[in-house]
PDB file of all heavy atoms in Angstrom:
ATOM      1  N   ASN H 186     -29.417  -4.951 -21.632  1.00 93.00           N
ATOM      2  CA  ASN H 186     -30.177  -6.173 -21.443  1.00 93.00           C
ATOM      3  C   ASN H 186     -29.326  -7.357 -21.000  1.00 93.00           C
ATOM      4  O   ASN H 186     -29.798  -8.486 -20.974  1.00 93.00           O
ATOM      5  CB  ASN H 186     -30.885  -6.529 -22.758  1.00 93.00           C
ATOM      6  CG  ASN H 186     -31.915  -5.498 -23.157  1.00 93.00           C
ATOM      7  OD1 ASN H 186     -32.664  -4.986 -22.334  1.00 93.00           O
ATOM      8  ND2 ASN H 186     -31.961  -5.151 -24.449  1.00 93.00           N
ATOM      9  N   ASN H 187     -28.042  -7.058 -20.701  1.00 93.00           N
ATOM     10  CA  ASN H 187     -27.121  -8.110 -20.195  1.00 93.00           C
ATOM     11  C   ASN H 187     -27.054  -9.332 -21.131  1.00 93.00           C
ATOM     12  O   ASN H 187     -27.084 -10.477 -20.699  1.00 93.00           O
ATOM     13  CB  ASN H 187     -27.522  -8.549 -18.802  1.00 93.00           C
ATOM     14  CG  ASN H 187     -27.361  -7.453 -17.767  1.00 93.00           C
ATOM     15  OD1 ASN H 187     -26.449  -6.635 -17.841  1.00 93.00           O
ATOM     16  ND2 ASN H 187     -28.262  -7.400 -16.811  1.00 93.00           N
ATOM     17  N   LYS H 188     -26.971  -9.037 -22.413  1.00 94.00           N
ATOM     18  CA  LYS H 188     -26.863 -10.139 -23.405  1.00 94.00           C
ATOM     19  C   LYS H 188     -25.441 -10.682 -23.590  1.00 94.00           C
ATOM     20  O   LYS H 188     -25.272 -11.779 -24.071  1.00 94.00           O
ATOM     21  CB  LYS H 188     -27.448  -9.656 -24.752  1.00 94.00           C
ATOM     22  CG  LYS H 188     -28.938  -9.381 -24.754  1.00 94.00           C
ATOM     23  CD  LYS H 188     -29.360  -8.994 -26.140  1.00 94.00           C
ATOM     24  CE  LYS H 188     -30.886  -8.768 -26.163  1.00 94.00           C
ATOM     25  NZ  LYS H 188     -31.371  -8.388 -27.541  1.00 94.00           N
ATOM     26  N   ILE H 189     -24.463  -9.851 -23.185  1.00 95.00           N
ATOM     27  CA  ILE H 189     -23.078 -10.252 -23.368  1.00 95.00           C
ATOM     28  C   ILE H 189     -22.524 -10.810 -22.082  1.00 95.00           C
ATOM     29  O   ILE H 189     -22.454 -10.107 -21.051  1.00 95.00           O
ATOM     30  CB  ILE H 189     -22.221  -9.033 -23.840  1.00 95.00           C
ATOM     31  CG1 ILE H 189     -22.811  -8.409 -25.127  1.00 95.00           C
ATOM     32  CG2 ILE H 189     -20.781  -9.481 -24.063  1.00 95.00           C
ATOM     33  CD1 ILE H 189     -22.143  -7.116 -25.502  1.00 95.00           C
ATOM     34  N   GLU H 190     -22.174 -12.079 -22.100  1.00 94.00           N
ATOM     35  CA  GLU H 190     -21.616 -12.739 -20.930  1.00 94.00           C
ATOM     36  C   GLU H 190     -20.099 -12.868 -21.137  1.00 94.00           C
ATOM     37  O   GLU H 190     -19.651 -13.645 -21.987  1.00 94.00           O
ATOM     38  CB  GLU H 190     -22.227 -14.094 -20.692  1.00 94.00           C
ATOM     39  CG  GLU H 190     -21.726 -14.793 -19.468  1.00 94.00           C
ATOM     40  CD  GLU H 190     -22.394 -16.119 -19.196  1.00 94.00           C
ATOM     41  OE1 GLU H 190     -23.311 -16.489 -19.986  1.00 94.00           O
ATOM     42  OE2 GLU H 190     -21.982 -16.804 -18.253  1.00 94.00           O
ATOM     43  N   VAL H 191     -19.354 -12.084 -20.420  1.00 95.00           N
ATOM     44  CA  VAL H 191     -17.898 -12.138 -20.542  1.00 95.00           C
ATOM     45  C   VAL H 191     -17.371 -13.335 -19.810  1.00 95.00           C
ATOM     46  O   VAL H 191     -17.608 -13.520 -18.596  1.00 95.00           O
ATOM     47  CB  VAL H 191     -17.276 -10.852 -20.009  1.00 95.00           C
ATOM     48  CG1 VAL H 191     -15.725 -10.901 -20.155  1.00 95.00           C
ATOM     49  CG2 VAL H 191     -17.847  -9.605 -20.759  1.00 95.00           C
ATOM     50  N   GLU H 192     -16.595 -14.184 -20.502  1.00 95.00           N
ATOM     51  CA  GLU H 192     -16.040 -15.413 -19.901  1.00 95.00           C
ATOM     52  C   GLU H 192     -14.515 -15.412 -20.052  1.00 95.00           C
ATOM     53  O   GLU H 192     -13.968 -14.944 -21.064  1.00 95.00           O
ATOM     54  CB  GLU H 192     -16.633 -16.637 -20.622  1.00 95.00           C
ATOM     55  CG  GLU H 192     -18.145 -16.762 -20.505  1.00 95.00           C
ATOM     56  CD  GLU H 192     -18.679 -17.980 -21.201  1.00 95.00           C
ATOM     57  OE1 GLU H 192     -17.888 -18.900 -21.424  1.00 95.00           O
ATOM     58  OE2 GLU H 192     -19.837 -18.001 -21.549  1.00 95.00           O
ATOM     59  N   ALA H 193     -13.864 -15.968 -19.028  1.00 95.00           N
ATOM     60  CA  ALA H 193     -12.402 -16.084 -19.079  1.00 95.00           C
ATOM     61  C   ALA H 193     -11.996 -17.022 -20.212  1.00 95.00           C
ATOM     62  O   ALA H 193     -12.616 -18.045 -20.455  1.00 95.00           O
ATOM     63  CB  ALA H 193     -11.894 -16.584 -17.742  1.00 95.00           C
ATOM     64  N   GLY H 194     -10.934 -16.634 -20.918  1.00 94.00           N
ATOM     65  CA  GLY H 194     -10.390 -17.466 -21.977  1.00 94.00           C
ATOM     66  C   GLY H 194     -11.006 -17.236 -23.333  1.00 94.00           C
ATOM     67  O   GLY H 194     -10.538 -17.801 -24.313  1.00 94.00           O
ATOM     68  N   LYS H 195     -12.058 -16.388 -23.465  1.00 96.00           N
ATOM     69  CA  LYS H 195     -12.686 -16.172 -24.721  1.00 96.00           C
ATOM     70  C   LYS H 195     -12.229 -14.807 -25.342  1.00 96.00           C
ATOM     71  O   LYS H 195     -11.826 -13.904 -24.626  1.00 96.00           O
ATOM     72  CB  LYS H 195     -14.211 -16.151 -24.579  1.00 96.00           C
ATOM     73  CG  LYS H 195     -14.791 -17.530 -24.156  1.00 96.00           C
ATOM     74  CD  LYS H 195     -16.310 -17.502 -24.168  1.00 96.00           C
ATOM     75  CE  LYS H 195     -16.886 -17.395 -25.570  1.00 96.00           C
ATOM     76  NZ  LYS H 195     -18.363 -17.537 -25.574  1.00 96.00           N
ATOM     77  N   THR H 196     -12.360 -14.736 -26.660  1.00 97.00           N
ATOM     78  CA  THR H 196     -11.998 -13.524 -27.384  1.00 97.00           C
ATOM     79  C   THR H 196     -13.243 -12.744 -27.755  1.00 97.00           C
ATOM     80  O   THR H 196     -14.251 -13.338 -28.167  1.00 97.00           O
ATOM     81  CB  THR H 196     -11.202 -13.892 -28.676  1.00 97.00           C
ATOM     82  OG1 THR H 196      -9.995 -14.558 -28.312  1.00 97.00           O
ATOM     83  CG2 THR H 196     -10.810 -12.575 -29.428  1.00 97.00           C
ATOM     84  N   TYR H 197     -13.192 -11.436 -27.577  1.00 98.00           N
ATOM     85  CA  TYR H 197     -14.317 -10.577 -27.868  1.00 98.00           C
ATOM     86  C   TYR H 197     -13.891  -9.519 -28.891  1.00 98.00           C
ATOM     87  O   TYR H 197     -12.775  -9.022 -28.889  1.00 98.00           O
ATOM     88  CB  TYR H 197     -14.844  -9.942 -26.603  1.00 98.00           C
ATOM     89  CG  TYR H 197     -15.477 -10.963 -25.657  1.00 98.00           C
ATOM     90  CD1 TYR H 197     -14.683 -11.740 -24.836  1.00 98.00           C
ATOM     91  CD2 TYR H 197     -16.849 -11.134 -25.613  1.00 98.00           C
ATOM     92  CE1 TYR H 197     -15.252 -12.715 -23.981  1.00 98.00           C
ATOM     93  CE2 TYR H 197     -17.450 -12.074 -24.796  1.00 98.00           C
ATOM     94  CZ  TYR H 197     -16.637 -12.855 -23.960  1.00 98.00           C
ATOM     95  OH  TYR H 197     -17.182 -13.812 -23.139  1.00 98.00           O
ATOM     96  N   PHE H 198     -14.885  -9.142 -29.704  1.00 98.00           N
ATOM     97  CA  PHE H 198     -14.632  -8.192 -30.782  1.00 98.00           C
ATOM     98  C   PHE H 198     -15.557  -6.961 -30.605  1.00 98.00           C
ATOM     99  O   PHE H 198     -16.695  -7.086 -30.205  1.00 98.00           O
ATOM    100  CB  PHE H 198     -14.930  -8.836 -32.151  1.00 98.00           C
ATOM    101  CG  PHE H 198     -14.086 -10.054 -32.409  1.00 98.00           C
ATOM    102  CD1 PHE H 198     -14.512 -11.305 -31.964  1.00 98.00           C
ATOM    103  CD2 PHE H 198     -12.861  -9.952 -33.096  1.00 98.00           C
ATOM    104  CE1 PHE H 198     -13.736 -12.444 -32.206  1.00 98.00           C
ATOM    105  CE2 PHE H 198     -12.097 -11.081 -33.297  1.00 98.00           C
ATOM    106  CZ  PHE H 198     -12.525 -12.318 -32.843  1.00 98.00           C
ATOM    107  N   LEU H 199     -14.982  -5.793 -30.910  1.00 98.00           N
ATOM    108  CA  LEU H 199     -15.725  -4.540 -30.816  1.00 98.00           C
ATOM    109  C   LEU H 199     -15.799  -3.900 -32.206  1.00 98.00           C
ATOM    110  O   LEU H 199     -14.824  -3.926 -32.977  1.00 98.00           O
ATOM    111  CB  LEU H 199     -15.034  -3.601 -29.820  1.00 98.00           C
ATOM    112  CG  LEU H 199     -15.683  -2.223 -29.628  1.00 98.00           C
ATOM    113  CD1 LEU H 199     -15.490  -1.732 -28.174  1.00 98.00           C
ATOM    114  CD2 LEU H 199     -15.053  -1.162 -30.573  1.00 98.00           C
ATOM    115  N   ARG H 200     -16.945  -3.303 -32.523  1.00 98.00           N
ATOM    116  CA  ARG H 200     -17.116  -2.603 -33.816  1.00 98.00           C
ATOM    117  C   ARG H 200     -17.946  -1.357 -33.561  1.00 98.00           C
ATOM    118  O   ARG H 200     -18.936  -1.347 -32.844  1.00 98.00           O
ATOM    119  CB  ARG H 200     -17.832  -3.494 -34.818  1.00 98.00           C
ATOM    120  CG  ARG H 200     -17.848  -2.938 -36.220  1.00 98.00           C
ATOM    121  CD  ARG H 200     -18.663  -3.824 -37.153  1.00 98.00           C
ATOM    122  NE  ARG H 200     -20.067  -3.390 -37.234  1.00 98.00           N
ATOM    123  CZ  ARG H 200     -21.113  -4.172 -37.267  1.00 98.00           C
ATOM    124  NH1 ARG H 200     -20.951  -5.497 -37.150  1.00 98.00           N
ATOM    125  NH2 ARG H 200     -22.346  -3.680 -37.353  1.00 98.00           N
ATOM    126  N   MET H 201     -17.480  -0.234 -34.143  1.00 97.00           N
ATOM    127  CA  MET H 201     -18.237   1.012 -34.098  1.00 97.00           C
ATOM    128  C   MET H 201     -18.394   1.512 -35.527  1.00 97.00           C
ATOM    129  O   MET H 201     -17.412   1.764 -36.228  1.00 97.00           O
ATOM    130  CB  MET H 201     -17.556   2.084 -33.242  1.00 97.00           C
ATOM    131  CG  MET H 201     -18.442   3.330 -33.064  1.00 97.00           C
ATOM    132  SD  MET H 201     -17.782   4.460 -31.818  1.00 97.00           S
ATOM    133  CE  MET H 201     -16.477   5.286 -32.778  1.00 97.00           C
ATOM    134  N   ASP H 202     -19.647   1.678 -35.943  1.00 97.00           N
ATOM    135  CA  ASP H 202     -19.938   2.114 -37.301  1.00 97.00           C
ATOM    136  C   ASP H 202     -20.193   3.614 -37.322  1.00 97.00           C
ATOM    137  O   ASP H 202     -21.040   4.143 -36.572  1.00 97.00           O
ATOM    138  CB  ASP H 202     -21.197   1.390 -37.832  1.00 97.00           C
ATOM    139  CG  ASP H 202     -20.936  -0.088 -38.051  1.00 97.00           C
ATOM    140  OD1 ASP H 202     -19.758  -0.464 -38.151  1.00 97.00           O
ATOM    141  OD2 ASP H 202     -21.942  -0.841 -38.092  1.00 97.00           O
ATOM    142  N   LEU H 203     -19.418   4.317 -38.131  1.00 95.00           N
ATOM    143  CA  LEU H 203     -19.581   5.723 -38.398  1.00 95.00           C
ATOM    144  C   LEU H 203     -19.839   5.923 -39.877  1.00 95.00           C
ATOM    145  O   LEU H 203     -19.537   5.048 -40.725  1.00 95.00           O
ATOM    146  CB  LEU H 203     -18.354   6.514 -37.964  1.00 95.00           C
ATOM    147  CG  LEU H 203     -18.033   6.553 -36.475  1.00 95.00           C
ATOM    148  CD1 LEU H 203     -16.694   7.204 -36.243  1.00 95.00           C
ATOM    149  CD2 LEU H 203     -19.155   7.244 -35.699  1.00 95.00           C
ATOM    150  N   PRO H 204     -20.388   7.077 -40.291  1.00 93.00           N
ATOM    151  CA  PRO H 204     -20.675   7.308 -41.703  1.00 93.00           C
ATOM    152  C   PRO H 204     -19.431   7.189 -42.601  1.00 93.00           C
ATOM    153  O   PRO H 204     -19.515   6.734 -43.743  1.00 93.00           O
ATOM    154  CB  PRO H 204     -21.252   8.708 -41.726  1.00 93.00           C
ATOM    155  CG  PRO H 204     -21.842   8.924 -40.398  1.00 93.00           C
ATOM    156  CD  PRO H 204     -20.925   8.174 -39.447  1.00 93.00           C
ATOM    157  N   ASP H 205     -18.247   7.564 -42.079  1.00 91.00           N
ATOM    158  CA  ASP H 205     -17.037   7.602 -42.910  1.00 91.00           C
ATOM    159  C   ASP H 205     -16.062   6.502 -42.584  1.00 91.00           C
ATOM    160  O   ASP H 205     -15.033   6.392 -43.261  1.00 91.00           O
ATOM    161  CB  ASP H 205     -16.348   8.947 -42.802  1.00 91.00           C
ATOM    162  CG  ASP H 205     -15.876   9.235 -41.358  1.00 91.00           C
ATOM    163  OD1 ASP H 205     -16.421   8.593 -40.427  1.00 91.00           O
ATOM    164  OD2 ASP H 205     -14.949  10.034 -41.175  1.00 91.00           O
ATOM    165  N   ARG H 206     -16.319   5.664 -41.580  1.00 94.00           N
ATOM    166  CA  ARG H 206     -15.358   4.629 -41.247  1.00 94.00           C
ATOM    167  C   ARG H 206     -15.949   3.594 -40.319  1.00 94.00           C
ATOM    168  O   ARG H 206     -17.025   3.837 -39.690  1.00 94.00           O
ATOM    169  CB  ARG H 206     -14.138   5.257 -40.566  1.00 94.00           C
ATOM    170  CG  ARG H 206     -14.349   5.765 -39.163  1.00 94.00           C
ATOM    171  CD  ARG H 206     -13.135   6.417 -38.562  1.00 94.00           C
ATOM    172  NE  ARG H 206     -12.790   7.647 -39.206  1.00 94.00           N
ATOM    173  CZ  ARG H 206     -11.622   8.302 -39.031  1.00 94.00           C
ATOM    174  NH1 ARG H 206     -10.726   7.758 -38.267  1.00 94.00           N
ATOM    175  NH2 ARG H 206     -11.413   9.484 -39.632  1.00 94.00           N
ATOM    176  N   THR H 207     -15.281   2.468 -40.227  1.00 97.00           N
ATOM    177  CA  THR H 207     -15.670   1.414 -39.281  1.00 97.00           C
ATOM    178  C   THR H 207     -14.473   1.181 -38.346  1.00 97.00           C
ATOM    179  O   THR H 207     -13.352   0.957 -38.816  1.00 97.00           O
ATOM    180  CB  THR H 207     -16.061   0.102 -40.004  1.00 97.00           C
ATOM    181  OG1 THR H 207     -17.203   0.326 -40.806  1.00 97.00           O
ATOM    182  CG2 THR H 207     -16.357  -0.989 -38.962  1.00 97.00           C
ATOM    183  N   ILE H 208     -14.699   1.272 -37.062  1.00 96.00           N
ATOM    184  CA  ILE H 208     -13.664   1.111 -36.072  1.00 96.00           C
ATOM    185  C   ILE H 208     -13.771  -0.276 -35.422  1.00 96.00           C
ATOM    186  O   ILE H 208     -14.866  -0.699 -35.071  1.00 96.00           O
ATOM    187  CB  ILE H 208     -13.790   2.214 -34.971  1.00 96.00           C
ATOM    188  CG1 ILE H 208     -13.562   3.580 -35.632  1.00 96.00           C
ATOM    189  CG2 ILE H 208     -12.842   1.996 -33.826  1.00 96.00           C
ATOM    190  CD1 ILE H 208     -13.956   4.746 -34.750  1.00 96.00           C
TER     191      ILE H 208
END
Side-chain angles (χ1 to χ4, degrees):
N186 296 318
N187 295 323
K188 293 183 177 180
I189 304 171
E190 183 178 357
V191 180
E192 299 179 22
K195 294 186 68 172
T196 299
Y197 292 81
F198 302 86
L199 180 147
R200 190 185 91 221
M201 186 171 79
D202 293 340
L203 294 174
D205 62 338
R206 71 181 71 192
T207 297
I208 296 168

